[in-house]
Amino acid sequence: MGQISGSVVKRDHSTKFSGAAIYVGDYMESDILTGKILHSQKAHAKLIEVKVPELPAGYYYVDRRDVPGDNNVNIVKDDMPVFARETVEYIGEAIGMVCGPDESMVEHILSAIEVVYEDLPVVTDVLKSDTAFFDYTITKGDIDKAFKEADKVYEEVFETGFQDQTYLETQGMMAEPQAEGRVFLHGSLQCPYYVLNAVTRALGLPREKVHIAQDATGGGFGGKEDYPSILGCQVGVAAVATGHKVRCIFGRREDLEFTPKKHPSHNTYKVAVKDGRVTAMDVDVIFNGGAYTTLSAVVLQRGIICANGVYDVPNLHIRGRAIKTNTVPSGAYRGFGGPQTFVSVEMVMDHIARDLGIRPLEFKLKHLVKKGDSTSTSGKYHFDVPIVEMVEELDRICDYRKKREMYAKPQTGRYRRGIGLSMCFHGAGFTGSGERDFIKAVVRLKKSADGMVTILISNTDMGQGLRTIMPKIVAKELDLPLTQIIYEYPDTDFVPDSGPTVASRSTMVVGELLCQAAKRLRAEWQDGEEQMIEEHYKHPEFLIPFSLDDFKGDAYPTYSWLVNVIELEIDTYTGRPQVLGAYGCFDVGTPIDYNIVVGQMEGGFLQSIGYASMEYMTADKTGRIRNNSFSDYIIPTAMDVPNLKVILHTVEYPEGPYGAKGAGELPAVGAPGAYMEAVEQALESVDLHHIPFTAEDVLKSLEEAEKK
Amino acid sequence: MVNGYMPLSLKEALELRAAHELVPYGGGTDLMIEGEKDVCYLFVNKIAEMKKIVDDGQYLRIGASCTFTEVLDSPLVPQLMKEAVSRIAAPAIRNAGTMAGNIGNGSAKADSVLIEYVAGAKLRLVSVRGERVVPIEAFYKGRKELDLAKDELIVEILLPRTGLENYFYQKVGARNALAISRLSFAGVLHLEDGVIRDIAVAFGAVANTVLRFRDIEHMLIGKTIAEAKKERAAFIAAYDAAINPTRGRVSAEYRKAVCLNLLRAFLDDKGI
Amino acid sequence: MSDAIRFTLNGEETLYNGNPADRLLDVLRETYKLTGVKCGCKEGECGACSVLMDGELINSCMVALGRCEGSNIVTIEGFSKTEHFQVIDKAYAAVSAVQCGYCIPGMVLATEALLVKTPHPTEEEIRTGLSGNLCRCTGYNAIVKAVQIAAKEGDGLW
């Protein structure tokens, strides 16, 4: 690790630590109206009538009739209305908004509104829906031949559930009418320009009439990639309709129940094995997209590209569909489709290995891709694949192999142990050519006469540390103290569009652009002068062009890698698991700040363990999610995984700043495979097929084993 | 205080309780989830008589307004009660939540109430009309139904001074802290000269109230461990027949299975 | 008893004339503009709104104002003026334990409450002490480490 990796005190530490940082809920002006959404109580129904009681002076009700522009939120496909049209498609869909000065009065009015619905059929099961929002296919090699020649064919179905991002600060946006018909929106968000595009369209305003700023943001994890555009349009419409500042902050129950979360999945794996080797995979990936498309297309793309895991499988047929149901639209969650398919492929590889009588680790390593191999999309792994070394490094700190042997012996008694290992990648940055064709990032550095340098980018810090990382890069290149570099929360009036803060792209792509800009500024530096440097994205030249039509080419320029080990003990009386150790080795390239990167890995790793174990959330047959409070949607506390260890392994990426590549999402991808392998071992090598695997599932599995 | 009272003596509290429509407020950790505004609270946390933990020679008397933290800090409170109370939520809730609040909320998930069941605890209920002492099992009449008159306050919990030493306790939550019981189990055994003088078994969070079946317990009372062992299967079968769990955050089948597993674990632990 | 509720807030005598059923969290934020007190759930399940009441950690969302009569309330704004705060601040900064920051004011006060009661906590005691304060960003390791550093560096202060 070079000098750049040394940790500094985070630039936003002090304001956050003293409670002085301003989140969107912290504006205390007396002229802000509170907005509360009238949510649909039906998963699918025709809206017959909304009976709004007579409103007291100063209170307003707005709905689709008040949308001055297009009543569609610009995300990818623009099918989601700002306020419901003639029908509602999921429980929680926004029908309208009540605004007014006193929150309890707003709530009172909301409860007095009567909505008349005419029920329509509700579909919650992806297997019973006839609408596929997206249907993609990846092919490679000759699948038919491979299956015909196979010694053995395995077929298994894996299911994964919802996972909610559960940022500690719920969704919140505020809109303010300004002079000359301008509208200003700010709040808790990841992508200011996404919100800008959505709001200009909904309000029917030209770009210069709207600007978006980020407030201190209490976590995102993908959850604030699309939803702030939706909520932003809603408060924007309300502000324009009422002529007042309008702020809407979700309650925890609203947030858990009605905002996008990770796509539940149903993945069928058909695997051909010949001479002890996997020769082909025929995979059918089904994601529950929910009621509107939002980000499902791009989540699904990444999901299917990962469907064969880190394994070199010469013959592939992967079909992926995002299915419409009458549940809350699924959206972005750190990992973005990868966690669903990775857990499936890790489990199927375990099961095949066990059936063949080979140790799963040995079996997996035998299939591991290496530099120069082709990817699922017939692109190329251009750089070293460090998994083998990472396995050894991890084995040294946790004795995986020894424990795996030990726990394989028959266990009796109440408590039984298991240990599992998973290996995954995360493709760094946008899938395919998105960066070149859509984002076209621009960054600027502005030097003032007194030598202060301001970073002008639209990327946001929602806790992951960009406000420290980016100044470190610029300061290093300019050889200036960190205090001379300014990087404020972005406002689209002042910053160019350097792209959204998603896809583990910010450090790798935007950081590199800033690095280039800083190099130029240093070369062109003139004391006492104001200077502006601008850099534009350049697509790496070594890439095999990617085509989304046939899923061919380099989907990602490079990959981050992980190996995770989970050791656990199961109480066979209660079914309760206790994680005894969680060990993660992560390669995200050069860490720009060691503490920050380790913090990202630890936090993401724990989320990933939660996904596999305790974070159970489901929609019932009526489309309602009942796990809508912190007592019913269970995320880990400080006491749940006390022994969690992270180590870093570094393979530098030459096109990233100092060798950095994608970091943020990787740790949230891989734990379920390791977790489930450990559970399977503790339960004496039973084959399991879904996550989260709850205490109740453990008891059921034990019961079934007893019957056999 | 308009719309709220904070009496400093029990007498004053009872008079207020009799004269007005008031909601007794101990720690507020259940009441404030609803956060009802149109309500008049009787804050009972500054009443000295309700804050004491004393041993009167017959009972350990725990003041109803003692917080969980105060119970944990008291050298007088038996270990079993401390273990259960230490598993309630997290420190901030334990600093606020009170013993009477845990009872008064009427939930079968209340962790301290489970222990009161196996202890055969009694509640001292007082009103301006007088006072009465009611066994905990009688106090719970059904789901959220309590034997508490409109003018009464729970003033003390009377725990027998001995009998809880030889125990087996387990709470099953969804995680290691901030967990509502999905099921809880407590068993105590009192042996004298190798003979079971008393046994108590209670299950929390499985039905409308905590469950304790004294008739089943009688199967083992007066028996030696060896004799009890012979009754083990019948004893377990009796519970199997008696427990009809409700479905909640987990299924009834799961609750039933875990109840019986923990019952077996208790018997194993005690050599029965 | 006078009609107003009397309590000490960050060292200052305070009279509150509103409804005793009002939530302390709302009153701290809206009436006294103490916005360092964060709202994460309003159900006592996340700890973001933690404050000290007579030295003990409590969830301000779970307290009705009437309960505060005669008590001493300290929020992050008041606590940030203390020597204890300086030590905890440095410790958290040293290991970059602050990510999104939303749980932090509550976490800081949980740290204080823990160290007051247990000046030299074991790791298990730290994890128990912070168990009511949810953090989704860090996985808790850095926060636990920060508390260990604070206990060491602040030896004798608590």
Side-chain angles (χ1 to χ4, degrees):
Chain A
M1 260 184 312
Q3 187 203 340
I4 190 79
S5 301
S7 298
V8 300
V9 172
K10 288 183 78 180
R11 296 291 295 277
D12 52 355
H13 170 85
S14 291
T15 50
K16 284 176 174 173
F17 202 79
S18 61
I22 302 294
Y23 298 79
V24 66
D26 298 336
Y27 295 92
M28 286 289 150
E29 301 108 279
S30 54
D31 59 344
I32 303 169
L33 302 187
T34 294
K36 292 262 174 210
I37 289 176
L38 175 67
H39 294 286
S40 166
Q41 295 299 315
K42 299 273 185 180
H44 195 198
K46 213 164 138 186
L47 276 181
I48 304 298
E49 197 188 353
V50 178
K51 296 178 183 166
V52 180
E54 199 176 318
L55 298 172
Y59 290 81
Y60 307 85
Y61 172 76
V62 296
D63 64 13
R64 69 188 159 105
R65 295 164 301 181
D66 299 286
V67 179
D70 180 3
N71 185 27
N72 285 297
V73 183
N74 172 254
I75 299 173
V76 175
K77 272 247 175 166
D78 310 348
D79 60 338
M80 180 152 180
V82 177
F83 291 113
R85 291 179 277 254
E86 289 76 18
T87 63
V88 285
E89 304 287 327
Y90 68 97
I91 291 177
E93 180 163 357
I95 297 169
M97 184 184 271
V98 176
C99 313
D102 180 65
E103 184 176 338
S104 49
M105 178 57 89
V106 169
E107 274 167 1
H108 175 76
I109 293 167
L110 207 52
S111 63
I113 294 178
E114 191 193 334
V115 182
V116 183
Y117 302 93
E118 186 183 303
D119 284 340
L120 293 168
V122 174
V123 179
T124 58
D125 182 349
V126 284
L127 302 179
K128 290 184 183 144
S129 168
D130 53 12
T131 309
F133 284 140
F134 305 100
D135 190 341
Y136 301 127
T137 302
I138 300 177
T139 57
K140 185 180 173 182
D142 187 343
I143 192 101
D144 296 332
K145 186 163 173 278
F147 273 97
K148 210 182 289 167
E149 292 173 357
D151 299 334
K152 195 162 181 183
V153 173
Y154 296 83
E155 187 167 340
E156 293 190 87
V157 179
F158 300 95
E159 290 187 311
T160 66
F162 280 120
Q163 186 182 22
D164 188 83
Q165 297 84 357
T166 318
Y167 28 70
L168 258 280
E169 182 205 22
T170 55
Q171 302 274 359
M173 289 292 293
M174 176 164 158
E176 309 186 14
Q178 290 184 322
E180 295 165 24
R182 297 195 83 210
V183 180
F184 174 41
L185 278 101
H186 55 96
S188 189
L189 56 91
Q190 291 180 220
C191 313
Y193 273 91
Y194 280 4
V195 180
L196 181 75
N197 293 339
V199 170
T200 48
R201 188 153 158 183
L203 297 186
L205 289 174
R207 184 203 176 305
E208 63 274 12
K209 291 286 189 192
V210 179
H211 67 121
I212 314 292
Q214 185 210 12
D215 291 315
T217 296
F221 317 116
K224 291 169 185 170
E225 175 172 352
D226 58 5
Y227 208 75
S229 296
I230 299 164
L231 193 53
C233 288
Q234 290 158 351
V235 291
V237 167
V240 168
T242 63
H244 293 285
K245 295 176 187 169
V246 175
R247 171 171 58 193
C248 178
I249 295 178
F250 272 22
R252 180 58 62 183
R253 283 174 187 258
E254 254 179 320
D255 198 294
L256 279 170
E257 201 174 338
F258 305 143
T259 69
K261 40 204 110 267
K262 190 180 281 174
H263 291 70
S265 73
H266 177 99
N267 309 318
T268 307
Y269 275 68
K270 211 174 133 193
V271 182
V273 173
K274 187 171 175 59
D275 300 330
R277 223 191 136 82
V278 172
T279 52
M281 284 188 182
D282 186 359
V283 188
D284 184 33
V285 173
I286 296 177
F287 280 4
N288 181 354
Y292 295 103
T293 58
T294 64
L295 291 162
S296 286
V298 269
V299 174
L300 179 64
Q301 288 162 18
R302 189 180 280 272
I304 59 172
I305 287 166
C306 302
N308 60 317
V310 296
Y311 309 113
D312 185 24
V313 181
N315 304 293
L316 281 174
H317 176 263
I318 305 164
R319 185 184 183 195
R321 280 169 290 171
I323 301 293
K324 175 176 175 165
T325 63
N326 298 113
T327 53
V328 61
S330 302
Y333 189 135
R334 197 178 192 180
F336 214 68
Q340 293 94 318
T341 46
F342 267 115
V343 64
S344 306
V345 72
E346 286 298 284
M347 287 175 78
V348 83
M349 290 294 278
D350 284 341
H351 297 172
I352 296 170
R354 281 211 306 270
D355 183 65
L356 296 174
I358 306 172
R359 289 188 189 93
L361 176 57
E362 206 176 293
F363 187 67
K364 288 178 181 175
L365 289 178
K366 196 162 106 176
H367 291 83
L368 186 65
V369 295
K370 55 186 187 306
K371 183 176 172 177
D373 282 353
S374 89
T375 64
S376 61
T377 56
S378 307
K380 198 165 145 187
Y381 291 102
H382 294 276
F383 305 100
D384 283 342
V385 175
I387 292 279
V388 174
E389 297 94 299
M390 290 165 74
V391 166
E392 295 311 319
E393 286 160 22
L394 214 48
D395 192 50
R396 276 200 288 281
I397 68 163
C398 74
D399 263 338
Y400 166 77
R401 287 194 180 91
K402 204 175 109 195
K403 286 174 178 163
R404 180 85 192 164
E405 295 299 311
M406 200 160 78
Y407 300 152
K409 292 176 189 145
Q411 300 183 54
T412 53
R414 178 171 176 182
Y415 297 96
R416 298 182 197 163
R417 291 184 176 192
I419 192 165
L421 180 148
S422 57
M423 42 184 81
C424 307
F425 63 66
H426 188 77
F430 270 94
T431 300
S433 319
E435 201 66 66
R436 182 190 64 198
D437 299 344
F438 302 111
I439 303 300
K440 301 173 183 155
V442 178
V443 308
R444 287 192 199 117
L445 285 179
K446 184 178 150 208
K447 175 173 124 357
S448 54
D450 60 4
M452 297 294 283
V453 176
T454 302
I455 293 172
L456 295 172
I457 56 174
S458 58
N459 296 89
T460 54
D461 192 324
M462 49 234 166
Q464 86 283 31
L466 278 195
R467 267 159 65 91
T468 306
I469 299 269
M470 299 308 201
K472 275 184 81 174
I473 292 171
V474 172
K476 181 177 164 66
E477 288 307 322
L478 293 173
D479 199 17
L480 290 175
L482 208 49
T483 47
Q484 221 168 310
I485 315 295
I486 299 165
Y487 172 20
E488 301 289 358
Y489 287 110
D491 180 327
T492 56
D493 262 4
F494 306 106
V495 300
D497 187 357
S498 58
T501 305
V502 302
S504 306
R505 67 180 285 277
S506 301
T507 301
M508 182 177 83
V509 174
V510 183
E512 176 63 18
L513 288 176
L514 284 173
C515 189
Q516 299 301 331
K519 281 186 173 125
R520 259 183 58 211
L521 178 58
R522 189 174 183 180
E524 297 169 18
W525 186 281
Q526 289 177 311
D527 284 328
E529 298 288 314
E530 272 192 18
Q531 288 174 275
M532 182 78 90
I533 301 285
E534 185 171 294
E535 279 290 326
H536 291 249
Y537 175 74
K538 286 179 275 306
H539 210 50
E541 285 172 4
F542 65 83
L543 290 179
I544 300 165
F546 183 81
S547 156
L548 203 53
D549 297 329
D550 58 357
F551 277 84
K552 286 277 191 304
D554 276 329
Y556 306 101
T558 189
Y559 298 82
S560 298
W561 303 91
L562 71 77
V563 179
N564 284 172
V565 169
I566 302 285
E567 182 185 7
L568 51 74
E569 179 173 81
I570 282 181
D571 179 346
T572 58
Y573 287 11
T574 63
R576 277 269 287 144
Q578 174 59 49
V579 174
L580 301 174
Y583 310 92
C585 183
F586 301 93
D587 164 32
V588 296
T590 305
I592 298 300
D593 184 289
Y594 180 79
N595 279 349
I596 288 176
V597 168
V598 169
Q600 284 291 291
M601 298 304 116
E602 289 171 341
F605 194 14
L606 187 60
Q607 286 183 8
S608 191
I609 295 168
Y611 179 43
S613 57
M614 61 177 72
E615 297 189 24
Y616 177 78
M617 177 181 270
T618 188
D620 65 16
K621 284 198 169 55
T622 68
R624 185 173 290 283
I625 289 172
R626 296 191 185 273
N627 319 79
N628 65 354
S629 75
F630 273 151
S631 3
D632 277 324
Y633 184 67
I634 305 292
I635 65 170
T637 69
M639 289 175 77
D640 290 295
V641 187
N643 184 27
L644 182 147
K645 300 248 183 323
V646 161
I647 53 175
L648 300 182
H649 180 101
T650 305
V651 176
E652 292 183 8
Y653 172 51
E655 306 270 332
Y658 316 106
K661 50 192 181 186
E665 290 171 278
L666 177 74
V669 173
Y675 186 90
M676 291 308 294
E677 195 183 61
V679 172
E680 289 179 344
Q681 188 177 39
L683 297 179
E684 302 191 349
S685 302
V686 61
D687 285 354
L688 304 174
H689 295 96
H690 73 270
I691 59 163
F693 205 76
T694 63
E696 199 167 343
D697 293 325
V698 169
L699 279 205
K700 266 188 218 150
S701 170
L702 284 167
E703 250 171 57
E704 277 163 28
E706 218 163 276
K707 276 180 203 154
K708 283 178 194 162
Chain B
M1 228 185 271
V2 182
N3 276 329
Y5 299 93
M6 186 176 272
L8 298 176
S9 74
L10 181 59
K11 183 167 175 291
E12 190 191 346
L14 295 172
E15 281 163 4
L16 288 164
R17 174 90 158 130
H20 306 275
E21 191 74 24
L22 301 176
V23 175
Y25 179 114
T29 56
D30 288 317
L31 292 174
M32 294 307 287
I33 292 175
E34 290 304 321
E36 188 62 53
K37 286 285 165 81
D38 209 11
V39 62
C40 193
Y41 289 129
L42 179 65
F43 296 98
V44 295
N45 42 281
K46 293 262 163 93
I47 299 167
E49 290 154 275
M50 292 172 70
K51 290 292 285 180
K52 287 187 280 199
I53 301 179
V54 291
D55 183 343
D56 72 356
Q58 187 185 5
Y59 290 111
L60 178 68
R61 307 176 84 96
I62 302 177
S65 292
C66 288
T67 63
F68 300 126
T69 299
E70 284 162 348
V71 166
L72 288 172
D73 288 346
S74 163
L76 298 175
V77 174
Q79 192 53 35
L80 172 56
M81 180 61 91
K82 285 190 181 182
E83 204 170 314
V85 165
S86 74
R87 301 291 313 274
I88 295 173
I93 296 292
R94 294 197 287 269
N95 288 339
T98 65
M99 293 296 279
N102 215 209
I103 298 167
N105 187 38
S107 168
K109 296 174 183 131
D111 292 303
S112 67
V113 174
L114 177 80
I115 309 308
E116 286 151 10
Y117 264 74
V118 285
K122 297 179 173 129
L123 302 181
R124 181 173 161 237
L125 310 174
V126 188
S127 71
V128 284
R129 297 174 287 114
E131 67 174 82
R132 61 198 178 107
V133 172
V134 178
I136 188 86
E137 287 162 85
F139 183 73
Y140 280 83
K141 297 194 293 188
R143 185 179 149 72
K144 301 262 169 191
E145 267 185 82
L146 304 176
D147 179 15
L148 186 71
K150 276 185 79 173
D151 59 352
E152 278 179 321
L153 283 177
I154 305 170
V155 172
E156 282 178 320
I157 296 136
L158 313 183
L159 278 188
R161 291 177 64 241
T162 58
L164 294 183
E165 298 76 17
N166 189 10
Y167 68 85
F168 180 90
Y169 169 74
Q170 183 142 8
K171 165 172 174 163
V172 183
R175 59 184 162 193
N176 293 346
L178 281 179
I180 293 168
S181 281
R182 287 181 166 176
L183 187 130
S184 58
F185 176 93
V188 295
L189 188 71
H190 181 52
L191 282 171
E192 260 176 42
D193 306 323
V195 174
I196 298 170
R197 287 290 162 221
D198 212 349
I199 184 169
V201 175
F203 303 87
V206 286
N208 288 335
T209 64
V210 172
L211 297 181
R212 180 176 172 187
F213 303 101
R214 287 179 184 263
D215 46 339
I216 303 178
E217 292 166 4
H218 275 289
M219 289 172 68
L220 300 189
I221 291 174
K223 300 223 158 50
T224 64
I225 293 286
E227 288 164 349
K229 258 186 186 166
K230 289 184 195 141
E231 292 290 327
R232 178 183 160 114
F235 189 70
I236 294 168
Y239 279 102
D240 192 356
I243 298 171
N244 284 306
T246 48
R247 187 185 170 285
R249 290 175 170 102
V250 286
S251 70
E253 295 75 26
Y254 172 79
R255 287 203 159 116
K256 180 69 166 279
V258 177
C259 281
L260 296 180
N261 283 345
L262 293 177
L263 176 66
R264 286 186 199 103
F266 164 58
L267 296 174
D268 290 346
D269 187 62
K270 302 303 167 204
I272 296 173
Chain C
M1 192 185 276
S2 82
D3 281 354
I5 298 158
R6 185 187 296 270
F7 62 108
T8 307
L9 178 57
N10 291 331
E12 283 183 35
E13 283 302 311
T14 305
L15 289 174
Y16 181 71
N17 286 299
N19 184 348
D22 286 346
R23 227 181 258 281
L24 177 59
L25 165 63
D26 296 338
V27 172
L28 290 174
R29 286 181 57 85
E30 283 153 30
T31 307
Y32 300 110
K33 314 294 181 206
L34 297 168
T35 55
V37 188
K38 298 300 179 204
C39 170
C41 71
K42 275 200 185 179
E43 299 191 354
E45 293 271 354
C46 79
C49 68
S50 302
V51 301
L52 299 177
M53 183 179 208
D54 299 323
E56 286 191 326
L57 191 72
I58 52 137
N59 298 315
S60 63
C61 69
M62 292 285 97
V63 178
L65 244 287
R67 169 69 183 81
C68 300
E69 171 72 30
S71 71
N72 182 12
I73 306 286
V74 176
T75 70
I76 189 69
E77 286 87 352
F79 183 63
S80 65
K81 300 188 177 85
T82 65
E83 199 181 351
H84 288 188
F85 174 88
Q86 305 294 334
V87 174
I88 299 172
D89 184 14
K90 268 197 195 129
Y92 273 67
V95 290
S96 309
V98 177
Q99 291 196 27
C100 88
Y102 206 75
C103 73
I104 287 295
M107 204 63 91
V108 173
L109 293 170
T111 304
E112 163 71 2
L114 167 69
L115 292 176
V116 164
K117 212 162 181 179
T118 319
H120 299 286
T122 61
E123 179 171 340
E124 199 185 333
E125 286 168 331
I126 295 172
R127 288 185 180 273
T128 306
L130 305 178
S131 63
N133 295 74
L134 294 178
C135 164
R136 191 60 156 167
C137 295
T138 63
Y140 303 102
N141 277 12
I143 292 173
V144 170
K145 215 179 293 170
V147 178
Q148 286 168 335
I149 294 170
K152 189 161 168 251
E153 298 297 318
D155 187 22
L157 263 184
W158 279 282

